[in-house]
Amino acid sequence: MNKIFLHLFFLFFCSVLVAQKDTISIQKLMDEAYSFEQNQPEIALKLYKQTHQLSLKANYNDGAYKSLLYSGIVYSNIGKYDSAKYYYNKTIGYSKQSKTLIGEAKGYVNLANMYQFKGDYPNAIKNYIISIKLFEKTKDSVLISQSYQNLSSVYNSFKNEKLVLFYLKKAEDYGTKLNKEQLGLLYGDIGLMLLRQEHFNDAFAYFKKSEVLSKEYKSIRLNYFTIRNFGEYYNSKNDYNTAIMYYEDALKLSDSLNDTFQKDDLLYILSGVYFNNNNISKALYYGTQALSLAKQIDSDEMLHLILKRLSTIYYKIGQNQKAYQLLEQSYNLKDSVINDDHIKQMSLLQTKFETEKKDKSIAEQQVKLKKQELDLIKSQKEKQLYFIASLGLILLSLGIWYFYRQRQKIKNKEIIALQQQQEIAKLEALIDGEEKERRRIAQELHDGLNGDLSAIKYRLSTLEESGLSAIDTENLTKVINMINESCAQVRSISHNLMPSSILDYGLIESVKEYCVKINNSDSFKIEFQTFGNYVSLSKKTETVIYRIIQELVTNILKHSKATEAMIQFNYREDELFITVEDNGIGFDKNAISKGIGHKNIQTRIDFLNAQLDVESSSAGTSYTISIDLNTVK
């Protein structure tokens, strides 16, 4: 029976190793495909097709949906939106089948991006909203923020500044959880919105914040949009020469960005700036390039705008027939682009209107029913006047009694709260007084006793050894060495009484330094660990925490007979958990409240409004301190 079990376990272990090996090889192949996306997209697509098939064989869901998704992104970047749409829908279908929620959400958000590039705003909005709901289920704050940011850009096409700013602010709510590239792009979008509202100084400030993050993160995408946004700023100020300089720099980066739609949009903008700057040949050159690229990516919105721009340019140079033809083509496209937008807006307004009308009707019915109910109650009260009057007196008496009782309870609570505040104030004063006394004693030891010992050492060192016997010379050397050891002990005591590292470097470094000093002993070793993101507290709070740790370690050294100990800091969201453990002999937990050391610890625990749990056995002792970071100062 044991042999069969071992055989099955061996087979299972081998299958796990094979699956892990397959997963790693698939991931390497996907990384190779990514490296070809920019310059050789056809090779990237072949490799993604291969990784998808391998992922299906290996039952590797992440690899399967990512291969489909990345294929769609490649097709979108080269302007083949029908193929991109096909792969995004395949991503969504596979992710639903395999119950991969994050893959489904990413499929919808990229599908929305594709619809936005094509100018199909109703479908873009629809898919962005679906993706946001899915990302909320996955609790992915970064992707929720990105989706809100994308949604704002859709409403920007409607010139709906109120909704643009609304969704940008919702995206900014998740700003602390974004990486530097995403946060920089968000700052740029907010700056553009403020620029359109002619808040030039505020817009420039956001562009500068984006520029700082761009220099730190070294991202081509963020650098591209940062430079382009400065072009937008100077263009809005009619400083066309400076704007052109920034736009041209951004254009140089556009090929590295590998985003055809963004490059086409920038060519269209450059055409307009050169036109405003009376450089008609450049305006025509960039307008023609933009038209060619718009036809390539099949974007009705861009075709409509560029044709209109070219019509204006040809009219300027006197080619009226050509200008008329282009303008006619532009308006034909405008009907297909703008009318859909108007229908969508009207549909939204109509839905809102119908909802408000329905709510109003329901409210009126509720008011009518309420009035009938009040009339019925009034009639019943008139019939039962005497009974109600008697009952009213009883209820009034009970009410007065209840009122005074509740009032007394409130007063009692206020008294308890005041007592608690006074107790906290006493604890704070006690701790402050103790720290001041420690600081005074430390200063006296350092400046007084240590100075005196140093002076004695100096005087002894100046004695002429030639007139001393060998024994006196040896004794003199021993005395000087003893003074050196005393000075070191005084400095150590002074530092323990008031460690300067808390003021200079904070709690974590102070505890590390404390552990290093203790580890100088061969008979006892202590380890210090930290987990989570460090949260800086006030120096008073950090000093109180340091004193607790110092007292616990002192108790371990004095009483536990331990050879090893560990201090662990664990930051979890708004809480800090501190664990101090040793491998000593343990103690009776019922007796710990009698010691002065424990009373000092409990005083500081009460000051922090924290919780202390103690577990002790013959195998060692564990102290766990739970601190709510929202309540400490």
Side-chain angles (χ1 to χ4, degrees):
M1 187 71 180
N2 289 335
K3 289 182 178 179
I4 294 173
F5 175 77
L6 289 172
H7 181 66
L8 290 174
F9 177 78
F10 178 75
L11 289 176
F12 172 75
F13 182 73
C14 289
S15 65
V16 170
L17 288 178
V18 170
Q20 288 178 344
K21 185 177 180 181
D22 289 344
T23 301
I24 293 170
S25 63
I26 291 169
Q27 188 59 53
K28 287 182 178 179
L29 197 59
M30 290 179 72
D31 292 339
E32 183 182 354
Y34 178 77
S35 68
F36 286 110
E37 281 190 8
Q38 182 176 339
N39 298 319
Q40 295 176 288
E42 66 282 352
I43 296 178
L45 290 168
K46 288 180 182 178
L47 290 174
Y48 282 139
K49 185 176 182 180
Q50 186 178 349
T51 57
H52 178 66
Q53 292 170 347
L54 291 172
S55 297
L56 291 177
K57 289 181 182 179
N59 199 25
Y60 179 34
N61 290 337
D62 279 2
Y65 93 77
K66 286 179 180 178
S67 299
L68 295 171
L69 181 68
Y70 296 163
S71 296
I73 292 172
V74 172
Y75 277 118
S76 181
N77 287 340
I78 62 178
K80 294 185 178 181
Y81 292 130
D82 289 339
S83 298
K85 180 181 177 182
Y86 169 79
Y87 276 100
Y88 292 149
N89 282 323
K90 284 199 71 173
T91 303
I92 294 167
Y94 176 81
S95 298
K96 284 182 177 178
Q97 180 185 348
S98 62
K99 296 181 180 179
T100 310
L101 197 60
I102 188 67
E104 184 182 352
K106 289 182 177 180
Y108 277 115
V109 77
N110 280 281
L111 190 61
N113 289 337
M114 187 271 300
Y115 279 122
Q116 185 179 350
F117 294 154
K118 287 178 65 66
D120 187 351
Y121 299 123
N123 273 321
I125 293 172
K126 173 186 173 184
N127 285 283
Y128 279 136
I129 290 173
I130 293 173
S131 70
I132 288 171
K133 291 179 180 178
L134 291 171
F135 285 136
E136 285 175 344
K137 289 181 181 179
T138 64
K139 297 181 180 180
D140 194 320
S141 302
V142 173
L143 293 174
I144 293 172
S145 176
Q146 287 178 331
S147 297
Y148 278 129
Q149 195 173 350
N150 291 334
L151 197 54
S152 74
S153 67
V154 177
Y155 284 106
N156 183 44
S157 301
F158 298 146
K159 308 302 180 186
N160 190 331
E161 296 182 356
K162 183 177 180 181
L163 280 178
V164 173
L165 198 57
F166 171 76
Y167 283 115
L168 284 175
K169 289 298 184 183
K170 286 184 76 67
E172 194 176 19
D173 290 342
Y174 297 90
T176 56
K177 300 180 180 179
L178 302 179
N179 64 36
K180 291 181 180 179
E181 181 186 44
Q182 294 161 338
L183 188 58
L185 292 172
L186 176 58
Y187 285 153
D189 284 350
I190 295 173
L192 290 173
M193 185 66 251
L194 293 168
L195 196 62
R196 280 187 285 275
Q197 296 175 346
E198 297 186 355
H199 300 312
F200 297 111
N201 292 336
D202 293 339
F204 192 80
Y206 268 100
F207 292 154
K208 277 294 184 183
K209 289 166 70 174
S210 178
E211 183 182 38
V212 170
L213 292 174
S214 173
K215 291 177 180 178
E216 291 178 2
Y217 192 70
K218 306 295 183 185
S219 159
I220 293 175
R221 184 173 182 81
L222 179 55
N223 191 26
Y224 167 82
F225 281 105
T226 299
I227 294 171
R228 177 173 163 167
N229 288 340
F230 279 117
E232 295 286 343
Y233 173 80
Y234 287 107
N235 190 17
S236 66
K237 301 277 284 185
N238 298 327
D239 185 354
Y240 299 125
N241 289 326
T242 306
I244 287 170
M245 179 186 70
Y246 279 105
Y247 284 138
E248 291 282 8
D249 286 345
L251 186 62
K252 293 174 185 176
L253 289 173
S254 61
D255 288 331
S256 299
L257 185 65
N258 196 25
D259 191 326
T260 311
F261 180 84
Q262 292 298 337
K263 182 177 180 179
D264 192 32
D265 188 42
L266 182 56
L267 289 169
Y268 165 73
I269 292 171
L270 266 168
S271 174
V273 180
Y274 275 116
F275 182 83
N276 292 334
N277 206 30
N278 294 319
N279 191 335
I280 305 303
S281 61
K282 281 280 191 180
L284 183 60
Y285 169 75
Y286 282 115
T288 304
Q289 280 196 330
L291 179 62
S292 175
L293 207 55
K295 289 178 179 178
Q296 180 183 326
I297 64 176
D298 191 26
S299 173
D300 288 345
E301 180 193 19
M302 290 305 301
L303 282 169
H304 155 65
L305 294 172
I306 295 165
L307 286 169
K308 187 176 179 182
R309 170 67 48 70
L310 285 171
S311 172
T312 304
I313 296 171
Y314 279 111
Y315 180 78
K316 179 77 173 179
I317 61 178
Q319 296 188 27
N320 297 340
Q321 183 63 30
K322 182 75 172 178
Y324 174 76
Q325 291 173 354
L326 293 172
L327 187 62
E328 187 177 22
Q329 293 176 34
S330 172
Y331 275 109
N332 288 338
L333 285 168
K334 180 180 180 181
D335 291 338
S336 65
V337 175
I338 304 300
N339 285 347
D340 285 345
D341 297 341
H342 285 178
I343 291 169
K344 182 64 179 178
Q345 288 290 75
M346 289 173 63
S347 175
L348 291 171
L349 291 171
Q350 182 68 19
T351 302
K352 184 178 180 181
F353 172 76
E354 292 294 335
T355 303
E356 291 175 349
K357 186 168 66 172
K358 184 178 179 181
D359 291 343
K360 184 178 180 181
S361 175
I362 293 171
E364 288 175 351
Q365 290 179 0
Q366 288 177 340
V367 169
K368 187 176 180 180
L369 289 172
K370 193 70 176 177
K371 185 178 179 182
Q372 291 175 352
E373 183 181 352
L374 290 172
D375 289 339
L376 181 62
I377 293 172
K378 184 178 179 181
S379 175
Q380 290 174 345
K381 284 184 177 179
E382 288 175 351
K383 293 177 182 179
Q384 302 172 357
L385 180 61
Y386 294 105
F387 173 76
I388 293 173
S390 301
L391 184 61
L393 288 172
I394 296 172
L395 292 174
L396 179 62
S397 300
L398 289 172
I400 293 170
W401 172 80
Y402 182 78
F403 170 77
Y404 281 105
R405 184 181 178 186
Q406 290 299 111
R407 187 177 178 184
Q408 189 61 42
K409 284 183 178 180
I410 292 171
K411 284 186 176 180
N412 290 340
K413 287 181 180 179
E414 290 175 349
I415 291 170
I416 292 171
L418 184 61
Q419 289 174 343
Q420 289 175 343
Q421 291 176 358
Q422 290 175 345
E423 187 66 24
I424 291 171
K426 287 179 182 178
L427 289 173
E428 188 171 0
L430 179 64
I431 291 171
D432 283 344
E434 184 177 317
E435 289 301 323
K436 287 179 181 177
E437 185 63 14
R438 282 174 176 266
R439 195 178 296 111
R440 186 189 67 78
I441 294 172
Q443 193 69 34
E444 287 291 330
L445 287 171
H446 185 274
D447 296 340
L449 181 56
N450 201 38
D452 292 341
L453 289 171
S454 297
I456 293 168
K457 174 187 171 182
Y458 174 77
R459 294 293 297 272
L460 289 172
S461 299
T462 59
L463 291 176
E464 292 290 336
E465 295 183 3
S466 59
L468 300 176
S469 65
I471 294 174
D472 291 336
T473 300
E474 182 181 355
N475 288 333
L476 178 62
T477 301
K478 287 181 180 180
V479 169
I480 291 173
N481 289 337
M482 290 170 66
I483 292 173
N484 284 335
E485 291 176 2
S486 298
C487 287
Q489 289 178 4
V490 169
R491 281 195 299 272
S492 176
I493 294 169
S494 175
H495 182 76
N496 286 334
L497 285 169
M498 181 48 60
S500 60
S501 56
I502 287 183
L503 299 175
D504 297 333
Y505 306 110
L507 177 61
I508 298 297
E509 291 302 321
S510 297
V511 176
K512 281 183 182 178
E513 184 181 345
Y514 179 61
C515 292
V516 168
K517 289 183 178 180
I518 293 176
N519 281 332
N520 288 333
S521 170
D522 294 332
S523 61
F524 183 84
K525 296 296 178 185
I526 187 165
E527 181 182 3
F528 179 55
Q529 300 175 347
T530 62
F531 300 95
N533 296 323
Y534 168 69
V535 177
S536 178
L537 304 172
S538 68
K539 297 305 177 186
K540 179 185 290 185
T541 300
E542 291 193 342
T543 302
V544 171
I545 295 172
Y546 179 87
R547 294 301 182 203
I548 294 172
I549 294 169
Q550 197 177 38
E551 193 72 44
L552 290 173
V553 173
T554 300
N555 288 343
I556 292 171
L557 293 170
K558 284 183 177 179
H559 308 297
S560 69
K561 298 182 180 178
T563 59
E564 294 178 354
M566 181 190 72
I567 301 172
Q568 186 182 92
F569 278 48
N570 197 335
Y571 292 89
R572 299 180 189 171
E573 295 182 353
D574 295 328
E575 287 188 289
L576 170 58
F577 296 89
I578 301 173
T579 303
V580 181
E581 296 179 344
D582 67 67
N583 64 347
I585 60 175
F587 57 87
D588 182 6
K589 290 195 293 183
N590 297 324
I592 61 173
S593 61
K594 298 179 181 178
I596 295 175
H598 177 74
K599 290 180 179 178
N600 289 336
I601 293 170
Q602 192 60 49
T603 298
R604 290 179 170 86
I605 292 291
D606 292 339
F607 172 76
L608 295 173
N609 196 23
Q611 300 294 325
L612 173 63
D613 293 322
V614 183
E615 295 293 334
S616 187
S617 67
S618 59
T621 302
S622 174
Y623 300 86
T624 302
I625 303 166
S626 307
I627 303 172
D628 185 351
L629 299 178
N630 292 320
T631 62
V632 296
K633 299 179 179 178

